[in-house]
Amino acid sequence: MKKIKIKNSSREITIGKILCVGRNYAEHVHELGNIIHEKPVVFLKTVSSVIYSGDEIVYPSFSNDMHHETELVLLIGEDIKDADSETAERAIAGYGIGLDMTLRDVQSDLKKKGHPWTIAKCFDTSTVLSEFVEKFSHQLTLDETISLKINGEYRQKDQLNKMLHKPVEIVQYISSLMKLEAGDLIFTGTPKGVSKVNSGDKLEAELDGIVKLECKVR
Ligand code: ZN
């Protein structure tokens, strides 16, 4: 069982399932040569792949092209199903920043074969999480910036309002497909600027000074 920590609190929350939305920033969709879908692309990551700020990301032996994807992560605070937008809004209890580490070479291969992305997305240490903040302590306006630095240099830096599908819409949509439960996390997609990481790199991700994480690649 893995937990998330709430910032400035001793409270910890057990993680339920981890859902991810792909292709949610137009410029990132184009940099990978993909097309924009009307509905969000949804996939899962495993809870066992979760690590935290200060931990090491470990390059798996079956890839030479691990990419960083820096993302706003939503924390679901109540059980919902087929939510309307008001219920979806209320169900978002807080948020953090996360890295959806992705094996781009493996993923390209899987895409070509029409296979699921699991092997490219669920390797051990592939999901890095910051502490989370509760919604009432800082209400998101989506004017906030998420960013990632590698060895001190910005690689990703974009405003959340560039998301094609906004948090409430994502939660509402996923709740129409499956039950969402308290403790579930939703990665909301990455902005442009994804690139390969190498052993020894230091990654620092930040959501406008609200939450941050840092880790090294082994
Ligand atoms: Zn992602």
Side-chain angles (χ1 to χ4, degrees):
M1 257 194 322
K2 296 266 172 88
K3 296 177 182 223
I4 52 157
K5 293 190 184 75
I6 302 296
K7 192 180 174 184
N8 299 327
S9 148
S10 56
R11 221 149 71 78
E12 293 190 325
I13 294 167
T14 301
I15 303 169
K17 57 186 171 294
I18 304 175
L19 287 143
C20 303
V21 165
R23 304 179 190 175
N24 200 26
Y25 289 79
E27 291 161 318
H28 169 64
V29 177
H30 297 136
E31 76 183 346
L32 292 185
N34 290 318
I35 53 161
I36 293 173
H37 297 265
E38 199 183 316
K39 298 281 187 201
V41 176
V42 178
F43 60 94
L44 285 162
K45 283 177 82 89
T46 50
V47 178
S48 58
S49 71
V50 167
I51 59 169
Y52 305 96
S53 183
D55 293 341
E56 278 189 324
I57 298 168
V58 182
Y59 236 103
S61 59
F62 47 90
S63 172
N64 288 307
D65 195 20
M66 191 203 299
H67 277 203
H68 54 82
E69 294 190 358
T70 312
E71 311 195 11
L72 172 75
V73 185
L74 308 174
L75 167 65
I76 298 298
E78 56 184 270
D79 297 4
I80 55 169
K81 169 91 183 144
D82 295 322
D84 57 22
S85 60
E86 215 171 286
T87 309
E89 169 93 64
R90 203 180 57 225
I92 302 172
Y95 49 85
I97 193 160
L99 297 176
D100 166 22
M101 300 305 292
T102 302
L103 306 176
R104 200 68 71 199
D105 47 357
V106 175
Q107 188 191 31
S108 301
D109 211 41
L110 294 167
K111 276 186 192 169
K112 269 185 227 144
K113 292 178 183 155
H115 289 181
W117 300 352
T118 309
I119 302 168
K121 291 284 191 181
C122 299
F123 59 98
D124 297 340
T125 75
S126 65
T127 308
V128 190
L129 294 174
S130 68
E131 290 184 321
F132 278 62
V133 288
E134 287 169 299
K135 185 167 59 177
F136 58 76
S137 66
H138 185 283
Q139 187 77 43
L140 271 190
T141 62
L142 301 187
D143 288 327
E144 296 85 356
T145 299
I146 52 171
S147 64
L148 177 83
K149 284 195 266 191
I150 299 188
N151 305 324
E153 257 178 53
Y154 281 109
R155 295 292 184 87
Q156 293 190 280
K157 194 174 187 185
D158 252 315
Q159 278 191 319
L160 295 175
N161 58 26
K162 286 195 177 171
M163 281 195 258
L164 299 170
H165 304 284
K166 306 294 189 265
V168 172
E169 187 188 338
I170 292 169
V171 171
Q172 189 178 2
Y173 175 61
I174 296 177
S175 86
S176 76
L177 306 174
M178 67 186 85
K179 188 194 320 178
L180 283 170
E181 298 176 302
D184 288 351
L185 301 179
I186 302 176
F187 277 68
T188 56
T190 194
K192 67 179 184 298
V194 299
S195 65
K196 181 180 175 176
V197 300
N198 296 295
S199 291
D201 281 349
K202 183 184 173 194
L203 278 52
E204 295 168 272
E206 182 177 334
L207 172 62
D208 248 351
I210 304 164
V211 279
K212 49 178 91 176
L213 66 82
E214 63 171 75
C215 50
K216 269 196 149 182
V217 179
R218 196 204 297 169

